[in-house]
């Protein structure tokens, strides 16, 4: 059974460029979460969707960040323009309802 | 404000040397407390969920316990393959969509 799938696994870009991270949740799950992990701040929730609808985006750091979930099997997190302080590992997780969240392998983003 | 604090930040053990990791939490109403394991370069892997004080769960050499203020992850006779970062997270009754994570405890078990 496939777990959460994220792409790309690694992304290196230059400051000012647009970055798009992708996530495919586990089939049948109806909640999807985007997290960011850094050494300084640990694992922090950016935004989560329930039934494709954004429920809480209070963790999105600023307007440069946006997330969409056009259907139950796909979500994107976009950063435009990117900045060096956005360098982190971004995780996607999914679940059914409010049950245990299952995490993907993450995307390591480096902004030069 | 809901908060999770894990201690110690890092722990080094010899193979076979049992110990415990602590997770202290402050939450307006606890729906669940979660333990995850994270290996370098990978996503967090689910271990346990605890819902009420007094509850205990076990898996191989790991045992998680819960009180009204904290949770412990007991590691009995650890092996080098238990080396990882262990993350604790709480889920509040009022906002069951969110997990609030602690900073984690990095465990190293030496042979």
């Amino acid at each position: 059974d496939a777990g959460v799938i994220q792409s790309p696994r690694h992304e290196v870009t230059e400051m000012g460029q647009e970055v798009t991270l992708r996530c495919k949740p586990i089939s049948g799950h109806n909640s999807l979460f985007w997290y960011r992990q850094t050494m300084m701040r640990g694992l922090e929730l950016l935004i989560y969707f329930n039934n494709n609808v954004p429920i809480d985006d209070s963790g999105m750091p600023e307007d440069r960040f946006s997330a969409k979930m056009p259907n139950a099997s796909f979500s994107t997190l976009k950063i435009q323009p990117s900045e060096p302080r956005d360098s982190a590992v971004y995780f996607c997780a999914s679940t059914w309802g409010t049950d245990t969240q299952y995490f993907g392998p993450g995307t390591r983003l480096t902004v030069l | 404000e809901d908060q999770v604090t894990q201690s110690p930040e890092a722990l080094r053990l010899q193979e076979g040397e049992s110990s415990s990791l602590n997770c202290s939490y402050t939450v307006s109403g606890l729906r669940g407390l979660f333990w995850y394991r994270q290996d370098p370069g990978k996503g967090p892997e689910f271990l346990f969920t605890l819902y009420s004080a007094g509850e205990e769960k076990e898996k191989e050499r790991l045992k998680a316990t819960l009180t009204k203020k904290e949770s412990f992850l007991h590691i009995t006779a650890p092996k080098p393959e238990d080396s990882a970062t262990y993350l604790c997270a709480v889920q509040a009754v009022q906002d069951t969509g969110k997990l609030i994570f602690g900073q984690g405890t990095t465990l190293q078990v030496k042979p």
Side-chain angles (χ1 to χ4, degrees):
Chain A
D1 190 17
V4 175
I5 299 172
Q6 292 187 246
S7 66
R9 293 295 313 279
H10 303 273
E11 176 81 36
V12 180
T13 190
E14 293 191 348
M15 183 173 63
Q17 295 299 306
E18 177 179 295
V19 175
T20 299
L21 311 182
R22 296 173 176 80
C23 174
K24 177 179 170 56
I26 293 171
S27 178
H29 284 185
N30 68 342
S31 294
L32 183 141
F33 306 80
W34 282 102
Y35 289 88
R36 178 171 68 177
Q37 187 174 42
T38 60
M39 288 294 292
M40 288 296 295
R41 299 175 67 89
L43 196 60
E44 46 182 358
L45 178 68
L46 300 177
I47 185 171
Y48 77 91
F49 296 83
N50 183 253
N51 293 322
N52 311 336
V53 176
I55 302 300
D56 186 343
D57 65 354
S58 60
M60 296 285 261
E62 46 197 277
D63 292 346
R64 297 185 296 106
F65 286 69
S66 63
K68 293 183 179 179
M69 192 163 186
N71 57 61
S73 59
F74 184 67
S75 177
T76 59
L77 177 68
K78 186 176 292 186
I79 308 173
Q80 165 64 19
S82 58
E83 296 183 3
R85 60 191 166 124
D86 302 330
S87 297
V89 182
Y90 291 81
F91 289 104
C92 176
S94 72
T95 188
W96 170 256
T98 57
D99 282 348
T100 300
Q101 294 182 22
Y102 294 90
F103 285 76
T107 295
R108 181 173 294 277
L109 174 65
T110 303
V111 183
L112 303 174
Chain B
E1 182 184 348
D2 298 338
Q3 195 170 331
V4 178
T5 303
Q6 291 188 245
S7 62
E9 288 186 15
L11 182 62
R12 287 186 178 181
L13 299 174
Q14 288 296 129
E15 184 172 0
E17 180 186 3
S18 301
S19 189
S20 297
L21 313 183
N22 178 263
C23 171
S24 298
Y25 64 90
T26 304
V27 66
S28 47
L30 181 71
R31 180 185 179 273
L33 185 141
F34 298 76
W35 282 99
Y36 286 84
R37 167 189 171 132
Q38 187 174 23
D39 292 297
K42 295 190 176 182
E45 177 187 343
F46 170 71
L47 293 173
F48 304 109
T49 309
L50 302 167
Y51 293 104
S52 57
E55 188 175 0
E56 299 182 353
K57 288 194 176 172
E58 287 188 68
K59 179 180 179 180
E60 297 180 353
R61 295 175 293 282
L62 300 178
K63 178 179 168 180
T65 62
L66 180 65
T67 73
K68 290 186 177 180
K69 293 183 178 180
E70 58 191 350
S71 176
F72 291 94
L73 185 64
H74 306 278
I75 304 177
T76 302
K79 298 182 177 182
E81 53 261 43
D82 295 322
S83 298
T85 296
Y86 291 86
L87 296 167
C88 170
V90 296
Q91 189 179 55
V93 169
Q94 291 88 333
D95 194 353
T96 54
K98 280 184 173 179
L99 286 181
I100 299 168
F101 281 86
Q103 289 286 85
T105 294
T106 299
L107 173 66
Q108 183 181 27
V109 182
K110 294 190 170 185

